[in-house]
């Protein structure tokens, strides 16, 4: 029962999250200039890279509620530890190996995937 309902929720979240991701990617310059002004043009590339992860983040953000509602908080804890380890590892890889902000952000997005 919960699995079927969660699958429906995933479909709705995907239908919202992935188009939003595409919208943010293709309108990044407009959004950055509108919100922050022309002085922030250098951040447009970073914003574009980060926008690629929005659809996935929208979906993953609902997982914690499912773990809790199925009384599987141990698995939620393990998932949190593994996710944190993966994200921190990717960020360190970008910062200390690639030594590039763009590649660091790309590493983060890959960790989200």
């Amino acid at each position: 029962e919960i699995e079927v309902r969660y699958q429906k929720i995933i479909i709705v979240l995907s239908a919202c999250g992935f188009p939003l991701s595409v919208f943010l990617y293709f309108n990044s310059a407009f959004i950055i200039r509108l919100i922050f002004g022309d002085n922030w043009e250098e951040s447009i590339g970073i914003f574009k890279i980060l926008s690629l992860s929005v659809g996935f983040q929208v979906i993953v953000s609902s997982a914690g509620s499912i773990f809790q509602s199925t009384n599987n908080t141990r698995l939620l804890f393990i998932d949190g530890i593994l996710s944190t380890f993966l994200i921190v590892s990717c960020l360190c890889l970008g910062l200390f190996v690639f030594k590039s902000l763009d590649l660091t952000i790309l590493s983060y997005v890959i960790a989200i995937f």
Side-chain angles (χ1 to χ4, degrees):
E1 178 70 28
I2 288 177
E3 183 180 346
V4 173
R5 288 186 182 194
Y6 187 56
Q7 287 174 348
K8 290 178 182 177
I9 290 170
I10 293 284
I11 291 169
V12 170
L13 291 174
S14 297
C16 296
F18 288 109
L20 176 60
S21 186
V22 171
F23 173 81
L24 292 172
Y25 182 85
F26 287 108
N27 292 289
S28 58
F30 173 75
I31 293 168
I32 293 294
R33 287 186 189 112
L34 177 70
I35 295 174
F36 299 109
D38 291 332
N39 292 337
W40 284 79
E41 283 192 19
E42 291 181 24
S43 67
I44 293 171
I46 300 292
F47 188 88
K48 277 186 160 184
I49 295 170
L50 286 172
S51 71
L52 298 174
S53 70
V54 170
F56 292 100
Q57 287 184 350
V58 167
I59 293 170
V60 171
S61 68
S62 65
S65 302
I66 297 303
F67 284 130
Q68 289 176 337
S69 67
T70 58
N71 200 26
N72 209 344
T73 54
R74 184 175 184 275
L75 195 55
L76 174 61
F77 178 71
I78 292 168
D79 179 62
I81 289 174
L82 292 175
S83 296
T84 301
F85 176 77
L86 180 62
I87 290 170
V88 169
S89 297
C90 286
L91 288 173
C92 288
L93 179 71
L95 287 170
F96 301 118
V97 176
F98 299 137
K99 297 181 180 179
S100 159
L101 183 57
D102 288 344
L103 292 177
T104 300
I105 299 301
L106 186 59
S107 297
Y108 169 75
V109 170
I110 290 170
I112 295 298
F113 291 161

Coordinates of all heavy atoms in Angstrom, one line a residue, residues 90-96 98-109:
C90 N 33.1 13.6 -2.6 CA 33.0 14.3 -3.9 C 33.5 15.7 -3.8 O 34.2 16.2 -4.7 CB 31.7 14.1 -4.6 SG 31.3 12.5 -5.2
L91 N 33.0 16.4 -2.8 CA 33.4 17.8 -2.6 C 34.9 17.9 -2.3 O 35.6 18.7 -2.9 CB 32.7 18.4 -1.4 CG 31.2 18.7 -1.7 CD1 30.5 19.2 -0.4 CD2 31.0 19.7 -2.8
C92 N 35.5 17.0 -1.5 CA 36.9 17.0 -1.3 C 37.7 16.7 -2.6 O 38.7 17.3 -2.9 CB 37.3 16.0 -0.2 SG 36.8 16.5 1.4
L93 N 37.2 15.7 -3.4 CA 37.8 15.4 -4.7 C 37.9 16.7 -5.5 O 38.9 17.0 -6.1 CB 37.0 14.3 -5.4 CG 37.5 13.9 -6.7 CD1 38.8 13.1 -6.6 CD2 36.4 13.0 -7.4
G94 N 36.8 17.4 -5.6 CA 36.7 18.6 -6.4 C 37.6 19.7 -5.9 O 38.4 20.3 -6.7
L95 N 37.6 19.9 -4.6 CA 38.4 20.9 -4.0 C 39.9 20.6 -4.0 O 40.7 21.5 -4.3 CB 38.0 21.2 -2.5 CG 36.7 21.9 -2.3 CD1 36.2 21.8 -0.9 CD2 36.7 23.3 -2.9
F96 N 40.3 19.4 -3.6 CA 41.7 19.1 -3.4 C 42.4 18.4 -4.6 O 43.6 18.5 -4.7 CB 41.9 18.3 -2.1 CG 41.4 19.0 -0.9 CD1 40.3 18.5 -0.2 CD2 41.9 20.2 -0.5 CE1 39.8 19.1 0.9 CE2 41.4 20.9 0.6 CZ 40.4 20.3 1.3
F98 N 40.8 18.3 -8.1 CA 40.6 19.1 -9.3 C 40.9 20.6 -9.1 O 41.3 21.2 -10.1 CB 39.1 19.0 -9.7 CG 38.7 17.6 -10.1 CD1 37.5 17.1 -9.6 CD2 39.5 16.7 -10.8 CE1 37.0 15.8 -9.9 CE2 39.1 15.4 -11.1 CZ 37.8 15.0 -10.7
K99 N 40.8 21.1 -7.9 CA 41.1 22.4 -7.6 C 40.4 23.4 -8.5 O 41.0 24.4 -8.9 CB 42.6 22.7 -7.6 CG 43.4 21.8 -6.5 CD 44.8 22.1 -6.5 CE 45.4 21.2 -5.5 NZ 46.9 21.3 -5.4
S100 N 39.1 23.2 -8.7 CA 38.3 24.0 -9.5 C 36.9 24.1 -9.0 O 36.3 23.0 -8.6 CB 38.3 23.4 -10.9 OG 37.2 23.8 -11.7
L101 N 36.4 25.3 -8.9 CA 35.0 25.4 -8.3 C 34.0 24.7 -9.2 O 33.1 24.0 -8.7 CB 34.7 26.9 -8.2 CG 33.3 27.2 -7.6 CD1 33.2 26.6 -6.2 CD2 33.1 28.7 -7.5
D102 N 34.1 24.9 -10.5 CA 33.2 24.2 -11.5 C 33.2 22.7 -11.3 O 32.2 22.1 -11.2 CB 33.5 24.6 -12.9 CG 33.2 26.0 -13.3 OD1 32.4 26.7 -12.5 OD2 33.6 26.5 -14.3
L103 N 34.4 22.1 -11.2 CA 34.5 20.7 -11.1 C 34.1 20.2 -9.7 O 33.6 19.1 -9.5 CB 35.9 20.2 -11.4 CG 36.3 20.4 -12.9 CD1 37.8 19.9 -13.1 CD2 35.4 19.6 -13.8
T104 N 34.3 21.1 -8.7 CA 33.8 20.7 -7.3 C 32.3 20.7 -7.3 O 31.7 19.7 -6.8 CB 34.3 21.8 -6.3 OG1 35.7 21.8 -6.3 CG2 33.8 21.5 -4.9
I105 N 31.6 21.7 -7.9 CA 30.2 21.7 -8.0 C 29.7 20.5 -8.9 O 28.7 19.8 -8.5 CB 29.7 23.0 -8.6 CG1 30.1 24.2 -7.7 CG2 28.2 23.0 -8.8 CD1 29.6 24.0 -6.2
L106 N 30.4 20.2 -9.9 CA 30.0 19.0 -10.8 C 30.1 17.7 -10.0 O 29.3 16.9 -10.1 CB 30.9 19.0 -12.0 CG 30.5 17.9 -13.1 CD1 29.1 18.1 -13.5 CD2 31.5 18.0 -14.2
S107 N 31.2 17.6 -9.2 CA 31.3 16.4 -8.3 C 30.2 16.3 -7.3 O 29.7 15.2 -7.1 CB 32.6 16.5 -7.5 OG 33.7 16.6 -8.4
Y108 N 29.7 17.4 -6.8 CA 28.6 17.4 -5.9 C 27.3 16.9 -6.6 O 26.6 16.1 -6.1 CB 28.4 18.8 -5.3 CG 27.1 19.0 -4.6 CD1 26.9 18.4 -3.3 CD2 26.0 19.6 -5.2 CE1 25.7 18.6 -2.7 CE2 24.8 19.8 -4.5 CZ 24.6 19.2 -3.2 OH 23.4 19.3 -2.6
V109 N 27.1 17.5 -7.8 CA 25.9 17.1 -8.6 C 26.0 15.6 -8.9 O 25.0 14.9 -8.8 CB 25.8 17.9 -9.9 CG1 24.7 17.4 -10.8 CG2 25.5 19.3 -9.5

